Amino acid sequence: MSEAELVLRSTRVITPEGMRAASIAVTGETITAVLPYDAPVPDGARLEDVGDHVVLPGLVDTHVHVNDPGRTEWEGFWTATRAAAAGGITTLVDMPLNSLPPTTTLGHLRTKQRVAADKAHIDVGFWGGALPDNVKDLRPLHEAGVFGFKAFLSPSGVDEFPHLDQEQLARSMAEIAAFDGLLIVHAEDPHHLASAPQQGGPEYAHFLASRPRDAEDTAIASLIAQAKRFDARVHVLHLSSGDALPMIAEARAAGVRLTVETCPHYLTLTAEEVPDGASEFKCCPPIREAANQDLLWQALADGTVDCVVTDHSPSTTDLKTRDFATAWGGISGLQLSLPAMWTAARERGHGLEDVVRWMSARTAGLVGLDRKGAIETGRDADFAVLDPDETFVVDPAALQHRNRVTAYAGRRLYGVVKSTWLRGRRIVADGDFTEPEGQLLTRTT
């Protein structure tokens, strides 16, 4: 600790061993020690004592649509990373769509990196995309450091990112398995979707019926079979169907290399409360019924579901029409994901340690970011300082998102982020931001 430049002290620090009073010593960008609360501060070190506020590792959100370049009016790196920082997120991994171009070739990745380089308030990594015609591009993208490859099994919603049929999925999976990459999949079966009733209009019940659980269940079953066939690493994105949980648990027990995420909106919002015409609640797969939500919470508790990510998927306000069939499907959640999750988790008897495990430790582990996701020696000095007992009412005008449409508007949430720290430097405090200091990350393993 003698060379520490910063000591961050709190009576409540969340470490891998649990919550305790501690002093965190930081040298440069790195945590160099986690010491008892009353450890002496070395000469020359700056003490930041945050009292009883909780210090937790910066969150790692591995499912974010930044949409930059090409659809920057939907979001963009500047606004997305500011919103993330305001919400205690210090690392995000950007999805390969809805930007133009999508991140499906090495050249497109370089374009994305150039655009992000001077706009990122937090650290940013990138997923690649698996399309029907880009198998040849997968290895070069992997070697350039993308964290894995996203594929859709049903239409993605944008023409430039077509979905894979089962034969195309097998080809892409075989190639990715050959270099032990990670395939992440939007799993809804197109045939089940096509046969579901498509009534359109403002009634949420009609939209819910158009994206039935069996579309997810069938797609996940086929994904498991392919993963077993190729011994591939596969990750199920944004699980919403509780009916799929038994087959997921069975596959994992049988040794299939399968991980699963869900999202705050599936864990905190229910179909029964969605007003007709309120397409700010529209996402695919959809927000389902309260009984289904209970199953997702149980799966988080028992480890069948690994982690929680936002699937932040914004659009301009004009695309959020009152017709659920035509409105853009996506929930904007970066800035509110931590308080939304903490509010629901505490009601169900979970602690902040659980939220950190689901939204920081396991997400960092999913993508191999071994310097993120925990407050311990050798990790990046990324922190969120949270008052877990303070509440606020969500005001869309107070959000940093470019388009301030939110399904959480008017909700009272627990957990106010007081400051966020990136690699040893405070980047936001009480609504004041520093200039962008984020780094572009690449896969290292």
Side-chain angles (χ1 to χ4, degrees), residues 172-345:
S172 292
M173 190 182 293
E175 175 67 6
I176 294 166
F179 50 75
D180 200 32
L182 177 63
L183 179 64
I184 64 174
V185 182
H186 180 125
E188 288 182 286
D189 179 75
H191 306 293
H192 281 73
L193 294 179
S195 62
Q198 305 290 328
Q199 297 187 54
E203 292 188 32
Y204 186 74
H206 292 166
F207 170 66
L208 186 60
S210 75
R211 314 289 298 209
R213 292 187 221 180
D214 61 7
E216 273 190 273
D217 304 337
T218 300
I220 291 170
S222 68
L223 189 62
I224 289 170
Q226 297 274 37
K228 188 181 303 183
R229 173 185 174 190
F230 294 107
D231 188 27
R233 296 168 56 216
V234 174
H235 180 72
V236 175
L237 297 169
H238 45 50
L239 179 73
S240 79
S241 172
D243 294 345
L245 293 166
M247 80 173 92
I248 289 169
E250 181 180 355
R252 289 160 65 116
V256 177
R257 296 197 290 167
L258 182 72
T259 50
V260 183
E261 70 184 35
T262 192
C263 304
H265 40 274
Y266 299 132
L267 297 166
T268 64
L269 306 172
T270 61
E272 291 90 340
E273 65 187 308
V274 178
D276 288 345
S279 65
E280 62 268 28
F281 290 85
K282 179 183 176 180
C283 55
C284 299
I287 294 165
R288 302 193 187 277
E289 303 85 351
N292 181 83
Q293 184 181 91
D294 291 341
L295 297 175
L296 295 178
W297 275 103
Q298 180 57 47
L300 263 181
D302 66 25
T304 304
V305 172
D306 298 272
C307 56
V308 178
V309 297
T310 61
D311 188 12
H312 179 74
S313 185
S315 72
T316 52
T317 56
D318 60 295
L319 296 180
K320 284 292 192 179
T321 68
R322 285 183 53 81
D323 184 345
F324 276 101
T326 59
W328 177 257
I331 303 284
S332 293
L334 270 174
Q335 189 169 335
L336 299 172
S337 60
L338 174 56
M341 273 298 296
W342 171 229
T343 301

